[in-house]
Amino acid sequence: MGAVIDLHAGGGAVGRIVAPTPRLEVMLKHPSGVEVTADGSVLIADSNANAIRRVGPDAMVVTIAGGNGVGYGGDGGPAVDAMLCKPTMAVEAPDGSIFITDRDNDAIRVIRTDGTIHTYAGGRGNGYDGDGGSAIGAQISRPRALALDGRGGLWFTDRDNHAVRVIDPDGTIRTVAGGRGGYGGDGGDARDALLWRPRGLGFDPRGHLFIADRNNHAVREVDLEGRISTFAGGNGLGYSGDGGHCRDAQFNYVSGIVFDTEGVAYVSDHLNDAIRRVDPDGRIDTVVGGNGAGHTGDGGPARAACLSYPSGLTIATDGTLYIADRNNDLTRLVTGLCAGRLPLPSVVPELAPRVAPETTAARSRSLTARIRRRLVRR
């Protein structure tokens, strides 16, 4: 039969999860992100429930953060008592900490190993500043996806700033790609490129960074020297190209990307309700869905199934592909498709830090100070 799709979690009636609940009895609300942890659990960003769920190896679901309504609060206390606002992804670091994109709070939160939650970046209102300084003092705008590297860096898509930023192990934040809306910059420094509401992130086996450039209907690639190029798509909105080269393909909003150990990319083609596969030689094919929006096919061939607005993707050690099937309020799994899970990259794109340009107000203050100094000297 080849690749087989099945239901992973959701479809049940239990919405407020206060005790361990079987995974097929829970109700999810627009899950946006999925990620696998070291013990084989799956983290689900249950976005419209304002919660982070964990599906354990025992197939039981628990809430690990939020689920207490919409808001921003709880720092320093238990994560299960905190308030989140439309979280879109959660990832586990090697030390067991869990990072969360708290999207509509314009923040990244972290659950420490003692179970307490803290703001790690942003949380200072919607904006774009702070590069070269501490992430806790920065402003970010609708963070969406997260990716960890082997050095302790945390990469994220700063969606409404049209940027990808990284928080280095010392807590410094910097922009590594984009920062202005549009489509351009291929062949140059990634920081000078134009992105348009980027969503997903992923690293390939070489440590190259790949960006789901959602509204450009493209996947962009940043090499180890910091140069950006278009890896797939970028040919306008559509659904074409299967069997040909990925650079000639069309997507309908790209929302996620993940690589397996053989260097094969899997891309969420959001409004085409499909998962596309890109082989190392560039050949693209639809491998899950692509048959219109719906929920069909569980227990059968993945290619014959229906999805509805697939978003985040992740691959487990055994090669199982997990899909946040957002508008079906489910997570799905596919077996017999992917090779294994990549380790965190030890080599990543290196870009010398850049401090964000002075704002008009800052330039005005600087000019005023210079004039005053001149007057004092006179």
Side-chain angles (χ1 to χ4, degrees), residues 64-339:
I64 63 169
N68 305 301
V70 177
Y72 182 36
D75 277 359
V80 292
D81 296 333
M83 299 185 79
L84 309 174
C85 190
K86 300 292 181 69
T88 53
M89 191 168 182
V91 296
E92 183 186 69
D95 69 356
S97 300
I98 294 173
F99 294 95
I100 301 165
T101 47
D102 193 357
R103 190 193 75 181
D104 284 10
N105 282 323
D106 302 305
I108 295 174
R109 314 283 286 277
V110 60
I111 306 173
R112 303 294 186 194
T113 54
D114 63 1
T116 61
I117 193 168
H118 305 267
T119 297
Y120 191 73
R124 301 171 60 85
N126 187 294
Y128 187 19
D129 68 13
D131 277 359
S134 171
I136 197 65
Q139 283 187 303
I140 60 182
S141 183
R142 302 301 191 264
R144 290 289 312 207
L146 296 166
L148 291 159
D149 67 38
R151 309 167 306 129
L154 180 68
W155 304 63
F156 68 97
T157 49
D158 195 352
R159 190 194 72 179
D160 286 5
N161 285 324
H162 311 290
V164 177
R165 301 170 83 177
V166 63
I167 303 169
D168 290 317
D170 65 0
T172 301
I173 189 171
R174 53 193 173 92
T175 297
V176 293
R180 294 176 296 151
Y183 183 41
D186 281 356
D189 190 308
R191 293 165 296 188
D192 298 325
L194 303 178
L195 307 175
W196 196 1
R197 304 191 90 191
R199 277 254 192 125
L201 285 179
F203 289 101
D204 75 356
R206 301 165 296 173
H208 289 202
L209 176 69
F210 289 78
I211 304 163
D213 194 358
R214 181 182 184 272
N215 287 32
N216 281 322
H217 314 291
V219 178
R220 312 289 287 277
E221 176 180 358
V222 181
D223 67 17
L224 298 181
E225 286 73 44
R227 293 185 300 268
I228 195 168
S229 60
T230 297
F231 170 73
N235 303 302
L237 183 153
Y239 188 16
S240 67
D242 280 358
H245 196 277
C246 62
R247 187 61 186 84
D248 300 321
Q250 286 184 302
F251 298 94
N252 192 348
Y253 297 99
V254 184
S255 58
I257 183 167
V258 67
F259 282 82
D260 69 16
T261 50
E262 294 182 353
V264 176
Y266 298 87
V267 180
S268 286
D269 195 350
H270 194 58
L271 298 192
N272 283 325
D273 306 300
I275 307 301
R276 317 276 292 270
R277 169 186 169 125
V278 181
D279 291 324
D281 64 1
R283 178 189 168 105
I284 189 170
D285 291 285
T286 299
V287 290
V288 186
N291 306 301
H295 175 209
T296 63
D298 286 341
R303 181 63 180 86
C306 286
L307 308 172
S308 186
Y309 288 24
S311 294
L313 302 172
T314 192
I315 297 173
T317 303
D318 66 0
T320 300
L321 176 71
Y322 291 92
I323 305 167
D325 194 359
R326 196 192 77 170
N327 278 23
N328 280 324
D329 298 318
L330 304 169
T331 55
R332 314 276 288 275
L333 61 84
V334 179
T335 56
L337 178 64
C338 307

